Amino acid sequence: MGVPRMIQGQFGAVRYDTGQLLAGVTTPVAPTVEFNESTGSYQGVKRHNDQFYIQQAGSPLDVSAIHFMTYDYVDLRDLLESKACMDDVVINVQRQYELPYPDISYNVPAGNIEETFLILLGDYDLEKPGDLAGLSPFNVKNASKAGFVPLKDLTGNDSQGGLPFEVLYREVRQYVQDPSQNFTSPNQIGTFAGPGGNPGTPSRLIGNFRMASRTIGGYPDLLVGPGITVIRAWSIYPSNRLSQDITGGATQPVADAPAAELIDLAMRLQVYIPALQYNIVGTQRPLTATETATYYSNILMKS
C-alpha cells in the first residue's frame, strides 16, 4: 500500500559579473559570481537550499570564467533502509522570473547563455572540490548531456549520470541578447569606451535577454535512495570577446579586421539569475525484487 510523499527545495538568486574588459581585452580579468541574498536588491532572495560547487582553487568558476553551478543533495536513505521507492513521480518547477536580467551590460559579443537544471538519482559527492589544475570531478560544462554521457570525472573513469534512468528531470534553456532591446550611443545611451578606448565608436547597451530554445527530458518513473542530487548549471559564453576577434582572413582590397567594439570599446556582462523552486510528488511503496536489482546495482554501487 503506497502513501503520498513530497520533496521540495529552493535554488537561490545568483549574480554573475565579468567585470570591465577594456578595449582589446578578450577574457575576464576579475570575474565574480555570488548569491544575491539581499532582499533589497533586484531579484534578491535570502532563503535557498543550494550552494556553489567549487571547481578550482577555491572558486566556483572554472578557469575560463564561463562555467559554474549550484547544487543541493536530498538524503533519502530512509528509502534505502526500508527497500522502498517513490512511484508515479511528478516534478514541478516554479521560477521567480522566466529570464535572467542584464544589469548594466554593454558591448557584449554574440553567444548563448545556457542554463541546465537537473534532478539526478544518486550522490555525486559535490562537496569535494576540483583540484588546483581545474580538473573538476564533475563536468559542469557537459551538464546538458546528462543521460547521454557520464557527468562525473572528466577522465571518464566514473559513469555516474550516463544512463537515461539516472536522470529524473533535465531542462536546458538557451538565452540570447534581445536585439529589440539594444540601445546605442550617442542618442540613446552614453558611451562605454573605458580607459584607452575610442568613444567615437557607438556603444551598445543590452536592455534584456530572450529565450532562444528550451528542451525538457528525463525519466521521472521511480525515485530510489540513497538520495537525489539537484543541479543548476550555467555557461555564460558571451563572457569573453573571442568571437569579436574572429576574421575571415581577407587581405584584398581591404584586410579583414576584428570588430570595432573589441578594438575601441570596453565590455561588461552582469547577469542577475532569478531564484527557482522545485517540487517532487509521488507515492512511496515497497520495491519489487526486479526493481531492487535494476536500480540499486546501477545507482547505489556508484554513489
Side-chain angles (χ1 to χ4, degrees):
M1 186 70 178
V3 295
R5 182 167 180 174
M6 180 170 65
I7 300 169
Q8 295 178 306
Q10 179 165 305
F11 275 59
V14 172
R15 183 176 179 272
Y16 171 88
D17 185 2
T18 60
Q20 189 181 57
L21 281 68
L22 298 181
V25 178
T26 57
T27 56
V29 177
T32 58
V33 62
E34 60 188 358
F35 282 112
N36 180 12
E37 296 178 319
S38 171
T39 54
S41 173
Y42 178 64
Q43 296 188 1
V45 172
K46 187 173 184 60
R47 179 176 60 86
H48 58 90
N49 304 112
D50 58 330
Q51 60 185 297
F52 279 108
Y53 176 57
I54 304 303
Q55 297 192 70
Q56 51 89 28
S59 172
L61 289 167
D62 73 332
V63 292
S64 69
I66 291 176
H67 311 285
F68 63 91
M69 77 180 198
T70 65
Y71 73 94
D72 182 28
Y73 178 70
V74 181
D75 191 332
L76 296 172
R77 283 177 292 180
D78 63 300
L79 293 178
L80 184 64
E81 293 166 356
S82 60
K83 296 183 180 179
C85 68
M86 285 178 62
D87 199 0
D88 300 324
V89 171
V90 176
I91 297 173
N92 176 261
V93 178
Q94 299 283 342
R95 294 173 179 270
Q96 180 191 16
Y97 288 88
E98 195 68 19
L99 301 171
Y101 178 73
D103 180 47
I104 314 298
S105 297
Y106 46 87
N107 304 323
V108 176
N112 290 335
I113 294 175
E114 189 167 292
E115 174 192 4
T116 301
F117 184 65
L118 299 172
I119 302 178
L120 305 169
L121 290 175
D123 184 356
Y124 285 68
D125 285 332
L126 297 181
E127 69 277 3
K128 297 179 181 178
D131 62 31
L132 295 180
L135 297 177
S136 164
F138 186 92
N139 197 336
V140 178
K141 180 180 179 179
N142 283 348
S144 61
K145 299 180 182 179
F148 293 92
V149 300
L151 300 179
K152 187 72 180 295
D153 189 356
L154 292 178
T155 63
N157 295 328
D158 194 325
S159 62
Q160 267 189 296
L163 297 175
F165 69 82
E166 292 179 88
V167 183
L168 293 173
Y169 184 84
R170 180 185 64 251
E171 180 179 3
V172 182
R173 290 170 164 230
Q174 292 178 322
Y175 308 103
V176 295
Q177 302 171 48
D178 186 343
S180 71
Q181 297 294 307
N182 280 354
F183 304 92
T184 57
S185 67
N187 296 327
Q188 295 174 310
I189 62 166
T191 57
F192 293 97
N198 175 16
T201 297
S203 293
R204 178 173 50 89
L205 181 75
I206 301 174
N208 216 333
F209 296 120
R210 63 179 175 86
M211 186 159 54
S213 71
R214 178 176 181 244
T215 304
I216 294 180
Y219 296 83
D221 184 20
L222 287 183
L223 194 162
V224 299
I228 57 173
T229 301
V230 189
I231 289 169
R232 197 180 188 191
W234 290 84
S235 296
I236 315 291
Y237 289 106
S239 63
N240 70 56
R241 311 177 78 181
L242 294 174
S243 64
Q244 293 182 329
D245 199 28
I246 297 173
T247 67
T251 57
Q252 297 295 332
V254 179
D256 281 337
E261 284 188 349
L262 172 62
I263 298 172
D264 295 337
L265 303 176
M267 167 261 181
R268 187 171 191 172
L269 176 58
Q270 300 181 80
V271 183
Y272 276 102
I273 296 171
L276 173 154
Q277 296 174 339
Y278 68 90
N279 297 276
I280 304 173
V281 180
T283 301
Q284 183 170 324
R285 64 162 177 82
L287 282 166
T288 66
T290 301
E291 289 168 344
T292 301
T294 301
Y295 277 83
Y296 284 122
S297 63
N298 287 286
I299 302 297
L300 182 60
M301 299 303 293
K302 293 188 294 183
S303 294

